Amino acid sequence: MGRATKAVLAYSGGVDTSVCIPYLKNEFGVEGVITLAADLGQGDELEPIKQKALDSGAEESLVIDVRERFVNEFAFPAIQANAFYENRYPLSTALARPLIAQILVEAAEKYGADAIAHGCTGKGNDQVRFDVSITALNPKLKILAPAREWGMSREETIAYGEKCGIQSPVKKSSPYSLDRNLLGMAIEAGPLEDPWVEAPKDVYRLTKAIEDTPNEPEYVEIGFEKGIPVSLNGEFLGGVALITKLNEMSGNHGVGRIDMIENRLVGIKSREIYECPAMTVLIHAHRDLESLTLTADVTRYKRGIEETYSQLVYNGLWFSPLKGALDAFVQQTQERVTGIVRVKLFKGNAIMVGRQSANSLYSMDLATYGSEDVFDHKAAEGFIYIWGLPTRVWSEKLRQ
Ligand code: ARG
């Protein structure tokens, strides 16, 4: 493959990605490392991270705020696709990876780097998402993943860093592996590795325990335009503000906690805890609005598309031809998904209790059991005769 001379490194400010900086230079022979930290709404202070990269030997330290892009180009299409991996996980981490890959590639092209580096290990999904996305966007770039090769324990990693002048972490690191962004939090490892053990209360940051949530329900009206959430309680908000606010509101009622055993692409089952309050509410509300505005056959066909879409995103194929084709289908279906859904937040539940749309296909005249009924009851008889005809023929044959 040949040596890389300049690499752009996906940087978080943690021990592993900091140690990657000297490691790339010492062990991989990379001459210059440019770090890139993406602001995805993880709530970390990015100025100290920027400095830490320089202190660890980076020649340039980039910090890029991609929150709007994250929401508009990644979260919103996923909401339109009602994307829950294995029916439960709204892909909060998985959706961030192709975007990070995209800005890494953009930076590599801008700064004339010939490689991209990241700190993922060889056991997870994130390495797949990074590598495949980078390859899709620029197949000429080399990909360096030191942590996939170095085989160092945590203590050894810290010791390697200290030898290179990198400060060891001040506070004792938590036993959990955390990944956080605007769409939610993923928590793994430590005591959670035993699937029988209930997650301790203190692992949760974005959602209240049901024991501590308000005793009164709260209602929120979510406005959608062409399948995209645009307002909360009548107030039009940009994507980042809308998700931030809805995270707070629904997290306060304990909505969006997920505790599941999930199937990683690399064949491992892992126990995951997620907190995704806004995404959980938005996908359920969006699906509810679709039930009012889409025909039965489109809704049913879309379900299969949604399943495939979720798997593609989870498995790192955001930038792939099939994903592009599914996007086209989903976009076509969203033309008339405009309206408002009323959601009741209470004790860990987000219950859809009302929906309205100028494009509603619901007809009160047809549905009513009252005197305004316009449905032609007599027409049902002939319809049922034809509908049941194959069954009648089959049954008569059996009895001959
Ligand atoms: N299992 C989740 C996923 O594959 C979350 C991964 C979280 N990553 C982490 N470094 N803790 O999307």
Side-chain angles (χ1 to χ4, degrees):
M1 220 198 190
R3 277 201 167 172
T5 49
K6 192 186 275 204
V8 179
L9 167 69
Y11 189 65
S12 71
V15 180
D16 289 319
T17 55
S18 294
V19 169
C20 280
I21 301 171
Y23 200 93
L24 283 167
K25 298 208 260 183
N26 301 343
E27 323 294 330
F28 284 67
V30 174
E31 286 160 28
V33 177
I34 297 171
T35 57
L36 192 166
D39 183 355
L40 293 151
Q42 61 269 50
D44 291 338
E45 289 252 31
L46 291 168
E47 266 317 301
I49 289 181
K50 187 181 170 101
Q51 189 56 43
K52 182 152 190 211
L54 296 172
D55 295 344
S56 307
E59 73 177 36
E60 182 115 31
S61 176
L62 310 171
V63 171
I64 308 182
D65 180 351
V66 285
R67 290 174 299 158
E68 288 294 344
R69 208 162 146 185
F70 186 34
V71 171
N72 294 325
E73 296 170 30
F74 294 82
F76 285 174
I79 291 167
Q80 291 177 310
N82 299 322
F84 283 119
Y85 179 65
E86 295 185 339
N87 264 323
R88 301 176 73 185
Y89 163 41
L91 296 163
S92 48
T93 292
L95 287 164
R97 298 303 180 253
L99 172 56
I100 298 171
Q102 200 170 40
I103 59 175
L104 286 166
V105 170
E106 285 164 8
E109 288 168 353
K110 181 169 168 197
Y111 288 87
D114 55 346
I116 284 176
H118 61 71
C120 299
T121 68
K123 273 180 94 167
N125 298 309
D126 288 336
Q127 51 164 351
V128 182
R129 297 169 183 150
F130 278 138
D131 291 14
V132 176
S133 300
I134 293 163
T135 304
L137 295 170
N138 186 340
K140 288 207 177 77
L141 289 168
K142 300 185 185 86
I143 298 168
L144 310 174
R148 200 153 56 191
E149 299 175 21
W150 66 31
M152 294 191 284
S153 67
R154 178 134 189 109
E155 293 70 33
E156 287 163 346
T157 311
I158 292 171
Y160 188 98
E162 278 173 349
K163 211 176 65 197
C164 303
I166 294 170
Q167 273 184 5
S168 50
V170 245
K171 49 177 199 275
K172 194 172 164 351
S173 62
S174 107
Y176 306 107
S177 164
L178 305 175
D179 182 68
R180 181 173 172 181
N181 62 45
L182 197 58
L183 307 187
M185 172 95 113
I187 312 157
E188 336 171 304
L192 303 175
E193 284 176 358
D194 181 347
W196 182 246
V197 170
E198 183 175 356
K201 225 177 158 175
D202 66 359
V203 306
Y204 296 101
R205 324 257 155 114
L206 309 179
T207 55
K208 277 190 186 163
I210 295 184
E211 296 86 324
D212 304 328
T213 58
N215 289 320
E216 290 300 317
E218 182 176 354
Y219 290 85
V220 56
E221 291 184 4
I222 305 176
F224 288 88
E225 275 173 19
K226 299 191 178 188
I228 289 172
V230 292
S231 65
L232 294 180
N233 291 327
E235 185 189 355
F236 282 80
L237 295 167
V240 172
L242 187 142
I243 293 209
T244 305
K245 188 159 182 190
L246 191 58
N247 269 336
E248 281 165 21
M249 287 174 93
S250 34
N252 187 43
H253 288 274
V255 170
R257 286 189 177 188
I258 302 147
D259 178 341
M260 68 188 282
I261 307 298
E262 110 192 355
N263 293 293
R264 286 192 194 159
L265 179 61
V266 293
I268 301 170
K269 280 193 190 292
S270 65
R271 200 279 185 89
E272 305 278 341
I273 303 285
Y274 297 106
E275 294 178 280
C276 303
M279 283 301 275
T280 302
V281 174
L282 287 171
I283 296 176
H284 284 298
H286 174 262
R287 183 179 275 160
D288 192 85
L289 187 59
E290 284 189 337
S291 70
L292 191 67
T293 54
L294 299 184
T295 57
D297 56 354
V298 170
T299 306
R300 283 180 199 136
Y301 194 85
K302 187 167 178 282
R303 254 188 241 155
I305 299 282
E306 292 168 359
E307 173 73 24
T308 309
Y309 181 101
S310 309
Q311 284 176 24
L312 285 182
V313 173
Y314 186 87
N315 292 336
L317 296 174
W318 181 272
F319 299 109
S320 69
L322 179 54
K323 164 72 170 37
L326 299 188
D327 277 334
F329 174 86
V330 172
Q331 285 315 308
Q332 173 73 34
T333 63
Q334 298 302 293
E335 263 318 291
R336 295 181 63 78
V337 186
T338 296
I340 302 172
V341 179
R342 191 160 77 248
V343 186
K344 178 177 180 172
L345 304 168
F346 190 50
K347 294 288 171 200
N349 297 296
I351 309 160
M352 312 302 127
V353 292
R355 66 288 293 162
Q356 63 173 45
S357 169
N359 302 331
S360 172
L361 301 176
Y362 178 90
S363 160
M364 192 89 95
D365 290 347
L366 285 172
T368 184
Y369 288 98
S371 56
E372 308 78 27
D373 187 7
V374 299
F375 185 77
D376 181 355
H377 289 238
K378 289 193 298 297
E381 193 181 333
F383 165 73
I384 295 167
Y385 172 75
I386 294 172
W387 174 248
L389 196 53
T391 309
R392 168 183 293 273
V393 172
W394 165 78
S395 179
E396 283 169 355
K397 187 79 192 167
L398 267 188
R399 279 159 184 74
Q400 271 172 7

